[in-house]
Amino acid sequence: MSRNTPRRRPRLSRRTPSPLAAGTVAALAIGALSVLSPVAAAAPCDPWPPAGGTGGIGGSGSLSGSAATPVATPATPWANGASGYIPVLQGRTTTVELLTGPTSPNRTVERFGISGTDLGILWENGNASNPQIMMALGDTMGDCRLPGTQWRSNILFRSSDRTLSNGMRIDDAPMERAGLAKSILPRSNLPGEVTVIPTAGVEVDGTQYLRYMSVASWGDPGEWVTNYSALAASGDNGENWTPVAGTARTGTGSARLIPANLGAPFTTHTAGQMSAFLKHGGFVYEYLTPPGRSGAVTLARVPERSIRDMSAYEFWNGAGWGRDHRSAATVIPPRVSELSVSWSARLGRFITLYTNGNNDIVMRQAATPEGPWSGEDILLSYRHVPTLYGAFIHPWSPAVETVGSDLYFTMSTWDAYNVFLMKTDLNQIPARTLPGATTRMRVADDSWTRDTPDPAETGETVLVDRLPIPRA
């Protein structure tokens, strides 16, 4: 999934000291604060969609090969010759490593045929004998020299790595053939469907579930139209996926593109095309946003055992739970993009991460899934990484599982068009006091509701360098 600009990346480490750390030390040693423009280089596969794709993005024809010259407007905004870089950060939030791409320690080109991808949606597989983190990725490029550039609409990785301080190793992926990971939710290749993108994942009773969206067309940066969103299920640890009949919510695109195995759509729900899942108290909570990056968040919940039954979903209306999604109240106001939600044992509260309207990665806290949610804490500022998007919490973060302070999350960037593992030290996040139920807000401590200052302005996070990502 892109909707703006992607890609490239370096080798950061396995179980050895990270070049990020070395770069930071070197930069500090010479007293240099390098805030440079991105280094010019080709993206993994500039033209997109590839030859034989469905088109419908931007204004160019389908081209193949990274040396091809667009005949009109580039297929996507990233096809402009810009390249990515690794942000070297010091302070509250730091870059751990580049997870995907030609020079990542995971060797995704050689092992999986992946030179460019994005998102990195994370959840636990729930298998006590073989616990793994599932990682769903969006639109994926492979060998740019081949016709079609090995474009796949989505990919799944699995990881059993719990030592996140020096990176996240990928165990394996569902494969199409040796050296090429398969698209787990293939697009239809019919006119009117550009791609199929995962937006959330969750495990219930040993079955993996993905909520995904069928994209009809890309619009202005950060805006797109969907045909529908639906659930898919896997009973074999993510190896194979089947759409769940009756779970489609139509958007403003064409309902005619809903495949036969999904059956009739359950409802039209344009405000519920993208999701984040949270398991809590026997329920699966589903945080919903419209397609794009400017919508507000509403909230649904369903008993875990009924996740496939769309008629069992209830929606938070501000005072209680009701069946009509049209009465759903806003729980987080616009503009929210690609959020994730988790319980934090460290904070003793629920947390959500997302990209806001200023293109910052922010965190909010809440005592209950429906809120009230706190003001925003900026974990990473657009001033440091202006091309960032997506923020998906790693379930095995010390700040999630225990009282440790380290919160790990994935992040993508337009220009690199790959996925990074990031870390924030929650010890450096200002404390917030939740007002009591009888507290008069005009005299209450405002630490709960206020947005805290940008750490790029206060110096709590410092960009010390931008490392150009070597060519593959």
Side-chain angles (χ1 to χ4, degrees):
M1 166 172 173
S2 47
R3 13 243 153 273
N4 270 324
T5 28
R7 3 349 239 185
R8 307 192 68 65
R9 44 265 147 240
R11 187 180 316 277
L12 292 192
S13 73
R14 169 51 180 142
R15 296 302 184 228
T16 56
S18 168
L20 286 181
T24 301
V25 171
L28 292 174
I30 62 175
L33 175 60
S34 302
V35 185
L36 308 174
S37 60
V39 178
C45 296
D46 285 347
W48 190 82
T54 55
I57 306 177
S60 80
S62 295
L63 304 171
S64 63
S66 60
T69 301
V71 295
T73 305
T76 52
W78 69 74
N80 59 6
S83 80
Y85 59 89
I86 299 178
V88 182
L89 301 160
Q90 185 182 52
R92 176 189 292 181
T93 295
T94 54
T95 306
V96 181
E97 80 173 5
L98 185 69
L99 292 177
T100 63
T103 56
S104 74
N106 283 308
R107 299 175 55 247
T108 62
V109 174
E110 298 87 346
R111 297 172 64 199
F112 308 113
I114 296 174
S115 61
T117 191
D118 70 346
L119 298 181
I121 298 162
L122 304 170
W123 75 97
E124 293 181 276
N125 72 348
N127 188 327
S129 61
N130 183 29
Q132 290 180 304
I133 293 296
M134 315 297 267
M135 178 172 161
L137 302 161
D139 285 315
T140 297
M141 317 297 178
D143 189 338
C144 300
R145 300 167 296 180
L146 297 177
T149 67
Q150 295 180 333
W151 176 39
R152 289 142 289 168
S153 283
N154 43 73
I155 297 292
L156 182 74
F157 283 156
R158 293 175 286 236
S159 172
S160 56
D161 191 351
R162 284 187 171 271
T163 307
L164 302 176
S165 59
N166 52 7
M168 176 183 169
R169 296 290 71 79
I170 303 303
D171 295 343
D172 55 22
M175 303 296 286
E176 180 176 328
R177 62 176 185 269
L180 190 70
K182 70 180 179 181
S183 185
I184 57 172
L185 297 169
R187 59 191 182 279
S188 69
N189 285 320
L190 296 174
E193 182 176 76
V194 173
T195 190
V196 173
I197 303 295
T199 67
V202 68
E203 173 272 332
V204 175
D205 292 333
T207 297
Q208 311 303 319
Y209 290 93
L210 272 175
R211 174 62 69 168
Y212 65 97
M213 61 180 172
S214 165
V215 178
S217 62
W218 305 124
D220 293 333
E223 302 297 332
W224 56 92
V225 174
T226 53
N227 298 308
Y228 66 91
S229 80
L231 282 177
S234 171
D236 56 5
N237 201 38
E239 192 68 23
N240 298 284
W241 294 82
T242 302
V244 178
T247 63
R249 303 171 179 140
T250 58
T252 56
S254 175
R256 294 182 296 103
L257 289 169
I258 296 176
N261 56 0
L262 264 177
F266 177 75
T267 187
T268 297
H269 191 178
T270 57
Q273 295 293 293
M274 301 175 66
S275 304
F277 288 131
L278 168 74
K279 287 173 63 174
H280 174 67
F283 288 91
V284 174
Y285 289 82
E286 185 175 9
Y287 295 80
L288 301 164
T289 62
R293 295 197 161 94
S294 58
V297 181
T298 56
L299 178 61
R301 73 175 186 182
V302 65
E304 289 185 24
R305 65 183 181 277
S306 301
I307 188 171
R308 294 170 177 251
D309 180 4
M310 300 302 293
S311 66
Y313 284 67
E314 301 175 302
F315 297 84
W316 178 251
N317 61 24
W321 298 93
R323 299 292 185 184
D324 188 351
H325 71 81
R326 292 169 296 184
S327 65
T330 293
V331 294
I332 302 175
R335 301 169 55 193
V336 174
S337 169
E338 293 148 332
L339 77 163
S340 58
V341 185
S342 175
W343 171 258
S344 168
R346 169 72 179 190
L347 297 174
R349 292 169 181 160
F350 299 96
I351 57 173
T352 181
L353 268 58
Y354 62 90
T355 308
N356 68 7
N358 292 327
N359 210 44
D360 304 313
I361 290 177
V362 300
M363 182 179 78
R364 291 182 187 258
Q365 307 175 32
T368 64
E370 63 271 18
W373 288 87
S374 72
E376 294 180 343
D377 291 307
I378 297 175
L379 303 191
L380 186 57
S381 171
Y382 81 99
R383 295 174 184 268
H384 286 156
V385 187
T387 58
L388 64 80
Y389 64 104
F392 301 100
I393 300 165
H394 197 299
W396 292 347
S397 297
V400 170
E401 290 194 308
T402 70
V403 294
S405 64
D406 290 338
L407 177 67
Y408 291 89
F409 58 95
T410 54
M411 173 194 77
S412 303
T413 65
W414 300 128
D415 47 1
Y417 198 59
N418 270 291
V419 181
F420 295 83
L421 181 65
M422 310 298 293
K423 181 183 75 171
T424 292
D425 181 359
L426 294 190
N427 278 337
Q428 299 187 45
I429 298 295
R432 293 183 180 273
T433 301
L434 181 67
T438 60
T439 302
R440 296 171 61 187
M441 294 304 296
R442 66 176 179 269
V443 297
D445 175 1
D446 72 347
S447 67
W448 185 256
T449 57
R450 68 171 182 257
D451 296 339
T452 54
D454 187 338
E457 296 180 355
T458 63
E460 292 166 283
T461 299
V462 176
L463 176 67
V464 299
D465 207 351
R466 291 177 174 176
L467 301 181
I469 298 177
R471 292 180 182 272

